[in-house]
Amino acid sequence: MDRVSSLVVRRRRAVILLTALMCAVFGVLSLFVRVNYDMGDYLPAYTPTTQAMGLVQTRLPNLSLYVPGLSLREAAEEKQAIAGMPGVEGVLWLDDAMDIRSRPEATLDAAAVSRYYNEGPLYRLIIDEATQSATVQELRERYPDALMSGVAYGLAQIINVTMKEVSSLMLIVAPLCILILLAATRHWAEPLLFLLAIGAAIVLNEGSNIIFGSVSYITRACSALLQLAVSIDYAIFLLHSFDELRDTGMETHEAMRQAMRRAAPSIASSAMTTVFGFLALTLMDFRLGMDLGLVLAKGVLFSYLCVMFFLPACTVASVRLLDRTRHRSFLPDFRGFGRFVTRRMGPVALAVLLVLPVAFLAQRSTRFLYGTGGMHSEDSPVHTEKRAIEEVFGSGRMAMVLVPEGDRAREAGLARALRDLPRVASVISYSDAVSLSIPPEVLPPRATEAFYEGGYARLIVSLDTDEESDEAFEATRRLRETAAAYYPGEGHVIGETAVNEDLMSVITRDTLKVLLAGILSIGIVLLINFRNLTIPLILLVIIQGSIWL
């Protein structure tokens, strides 16, 4: 470390220039990192949803569009106009379930019509994931009075609103960090050096994500803030050590060299425990863990390098500014608190140990949300418009049952069995929309493409449930069981609720695995650092207890 610290201090201008150039390059690269908004892409290959989605190209409707004020005939014509819009891959509506063009309205099944029409049509659209934000915006401009709900609308809100809000959080977090650091440091300019070093590390990390091709929107949203939160301490360690050495009368360059040598072991061990903690996420079967773990672990390494190289160079280069902005520390003296704790070690330790079992049991009762619906506030447009649509048509979630094509009588029997299940509002199949007596081969492709593709028959099911609840998961399990009863080992279910159930199943299994891997890896780092078994055990109990609390 002696040679490295001397080189950094001596060649500080070169270090600053090189870091600035790298930040410029990596800042540009960050603009080309694709953001993935589909959590289904991160499900492992063995989940039922992933296996089912690999069988056909056509996807389930992901946007509900209610356009009040259109008659049945106008709605049928408007459906064709919507189907021709860029980004719209398909539209499901009443005329897919029954013939409304040649039959008088009075002869139509009122109950069936009410699920698709009530003073205006409720269309189910399949929106291209690559253009869903722009498509939803175009639909909003075309139908300003329309109501929307569904995965595509929720994700469009995340893309257009939530990601911008996350970006603006830095404008709130940075000033708060400066205020806190001003109270904890003795130079007005010192917090700016902290944020400069960690900010450079964040830019380098965001740009280097280009090696992955894409990152999830969850990773993109939280990685910068988490990187700032977990690594700002490294900068504080170094500059506090530098200040203490200068207070003894040591010359600036030598004080920085000594500070780097003194702080290096503590910063390295702190960084390594954090890196291994994040790398434990990569053991998850749910591949979002790999995405998040690698990005955050890489970010901590960049923070370590920036603190150990870039920050010392900047500090020595701006030492005169630090001296001119010196002030007294505003934090109270904690020696009294330290005496209180050491004099009452027994009761304090006992109180902590008594609280931990309660915290462990309480955290096991936490209810988790897995779908995108839980990411929006109750007064957001996503939930407000969803409730308005449900007041007119009732709650409903679309699901698709896939079975091998060929035996249309068995398909019709499955459709009847699905229709009799609890929470099933409707089922659309070939036998319902066309007829068992008409072979699909004699009809034009447009008449059958909604029901057959790639050797599989598709049955569209509407569930009277929320997108994520015990009732919704139970309804999905019943769909799978019924499909398996008619087509053993060959029936599949696709849908938002099915994805959420698979997410819940996979993540629940991953939790214990990640916890044990994190404890083991962090424990090994602490054991190597302290060369003592007792202290790592105490630290692990305290850290894990804090997590439970």
Side-chain angles (χ1 to χ4, degrees):
M1 193 64 197
D2 291 341
R3 291 183 179 179
V4 173
S5 60
S6 297
L7 182 64
V8 169
V9 172
R10 190 171 63 252
R11 303 292 185 186
R12 54 188 177 277
R13 290 187 179 87
V15 172
I16 294 172
L17 179 60
L18 178 61
T19 305
L21 289 175
M22 290 180 63
C23 285
V25 172
F26 279 65
V28 173
L29 289 177
S30 68
L31 302 176
F32 296 94
V33 179
R34 188 173 65 86
V35 180
N36 190 342
Y37 293 90
D38 188 359
M39 288 294 98
D41 287 348
Y42 296 95
L43 282 170
Y46 63 77
T47 58
T49 296
T50 305
Q51 294 175 356
M53 292 178 69
L55 300 176
V56 293
Q57 295 297 318
T58 303
R59 296 179 293 108
L60 200 65
N62 52 7
L63 178 71
S64 296
L65 176 69
Y66 175 42
V67 186
L70 298 179
S71 67
L72 270 177
R73 305 302 177 192
E74 291 171 336
E77 295 174 0
E78 199 64 30
K79 174 191 172 183
Q80 302 304 317
I82 294 173
M85 291 177 61
V88 178
E89 297 182 345
V91 183
L92 181 67
W93 188 58
L94 176 64
D95 57 355
D96 293 301
M98 62 180 67
D99 180 12
I100 65 170
R101 297 181 183 275
S102 60
R103 293 172 57 185
E105 292 185 21
T107 65
L108 300 177
D109 184 350
V113 171
S114 66
R115 290 193 290 268
Y116 298 92
Y117 183 88
N118 191 329
E119 299 182 358
L122 177 64
Y123 302 114
R124 310 283 190 176
L125 281 65
I126 302 174
I127 304 296
D128 182 10
E129 294 175 359
T131 63
Q132 58 191 353
S133 177
T135 303
V136 168
Q137 183 64 32
E138 186 175 347
L139 286 167
R140 175 64 70 201
E141 293 173 358
R142 182 166 181 167
Y143 305 104
D145 298 327
L147 300 175
M148 301 185 198
S149 69
V151 176
Y153 185 44
L155 289 178
Q157 285 294 110
I158 291 173
I159 296 170
N160 296 330
V161 179
T162 308
M163 294 302 290
K164 294 178 182 177
E165 291 175 344
V166 169
S167 300
S168 66
L169 283 179
M170 274 297 184
L171 301 178
I172 301 172
V173 173
L176 286 176
C177 284
I178 291 175
L179 289 175
I180 294 169
L181 292 172
L182 284 175
T185 60
R186 295 189 297 173
H187 303 88
W188 297 114
E190 205 167 337
L192 298 179
L193 290 176
F194 293 157
L195 294 180
L196 181 63
I198 303 303
I202 290 173
V203 172
L204 294 174
N205 190 44
E206 293 290 319
S208 63
N209 288 336
I210 195 74
I211 63 176
F212 304 129
S214 68
V215 296
S216 74
Y217 74 93
I218 292 177
T219 301
R220 184 64 177 269
C222 69
S223 60
L225 291 174
L226 281 175
Q227 186 179 347
L228 173 67
V230 302
S231 57
I232 193 74
D233 293 352
Y234 310 157
I236 296 174
F237 292 162
L238 180 66
L239 289 199
H240 273 200
S241 180
F242 174 67
D243 284 343
E244 290 173 359
L245 291 170
R246 289 193 72 211
D247 287 343
T248 65
M250 189 176 293
E251 186 267 334
T252 298
H253 292 187
E254 182 60 26
M256 180 54 74
R257 285 191 287 266
Q258 294 288 346
M260 291 175 67
R261 287 194 289 269
R262 180 190 293 184
S266 297
I267 295 176
S269 60
S270 178
M272 289 308 295
T273 55
T274 310
V275 165
F276 281 119
F278 287 140
L279 287 179
L281 294 173
T282 64
L283 298 177
M284 295 176 65
D285 288 342
F286 182 41
R287 293 194 301 274
L288 178 64
M290 176 73 73
D291 185 83
L292 189 60
L294 290 177
V295 170
L296 290 174
K298 178 165 57 66
V300 172
L301 290 176
F302 275 121
S303 294
Y304 172 77
L305 293 174
C306 284
V307 167
M308 294 306 299
F309 294 94
F310 182 54
L311 180 60
C314 290
T315 303
V316 173
S318 58
V319 70
R320 292 181 181 177
L321 177 63
L322 290 175
D323 290 340
R324 286 198 297 267
T325 60
R326 189 178 182 88
H327 66 83
R328 68 178 182 85
S329 176
F330 298 110
L331 287 182
D333 188 346
F334 286 98
R335 282 179 290 186
F337 176 75
R339 285 195 297 270
F340 170 79
V341 173
T342 53
R343 288 174 181 174
R344 294 165 176 78
M345 289 184 292
V348 170
L350 180 62
V352 172
L353 291 175
L354 290 176
V355 167
L356 293 187
V358 178
F360 172 76
L361 294 174
Q363 59 89 27
R364 288 176 63 87
S365 301
T366 303
R367 178 174 175 264
F368 294 94
L369 295 174
Y370 299 91
T372 58
M375 298 182 184
H376 303 278
S377 61
E378 285 301 314
D379 59 350
S380 68
V382 172
H383 284 296
T384 302
E385 294 187 38
K386 184 185 78 168
R387 286 193 295 267
I389 292 176
E390 289 178 349
E391 287 176 2
V392 179
F393 295 96
S395 60
R397 296 291 169 268
M398 301 298 291
M400 181 187 294
V401 178
L402 299 175
V403 295
E405 180 185 356
D407 190 341
R408 280 179 289 280
R410 187 157 51 149
E411 291 172 24
L414 173 60
R416 289 192 296 269
L418 293 173
R419 201 172 287 113
D420 292 337
L421 292 176
R423 311 311 295 266
V424 172
S426 66
V427 178
I428 301 177
S429 66
Y430 181 83
S431 61
D432 301 307
V434 186
S435 172
L436 279 178
S437 60
I438 302 176
E441 295 79 10
V442 304
L443 297 175
R446 289 183 57 84
T448 62
E449 62 184 5
F451 305 105
Y452 295 106
E453 178 193 348
Y456 281 86
R458 298 200 297 266
L459 294 84
I460 308 300
V461 181
S462 177
L463 297 172
D464 182 19
T465 66
D466 293 329
E467 68 267 18
E468 189 170 354
S469 64
D470 292 340
E471 294 80 7
F473 293 151
E474 176 62 24
T476 299
R477 283 191 285 270
R478 287 178 177 270
L479 290 181
R480 285 172 168 160
E481 291 169 358
T482 305
Y486 278 78
Y487 294 84
E490 297 179 307
H492 306 274
V493 176
I494 297 175
E496 181 184 3
T497 303
V499 171
N500 291 340
E501 186 189 25
D502 288 344
L503 285 172
M504 179 182 68
S505 175
V506 172
I507 293 174
T508 301
R509 288 197 299 269
D510 282 337
T511 301
L512 181 60
K513 184 198 309 182
V514 171
L515 175 62
L516 294 178
I519 290 175
L520 181 61
S521 59
I522 293 172
I524 291 174
V525 173
L526 293 174
L527 187 62
I528 294 172
N529 186 59
F530 288 101
R531 299 177 185 178
N532 178 298
L533 184 61
T534 305
I535 294 177
L537 286 175
I538 293 173
L539 289 175
L540 285 173
V541 169
I542 293 172
I543 293 168
Q544 191 58 51
S546 301
I547 293 171
W548 291 338
L549 284 167

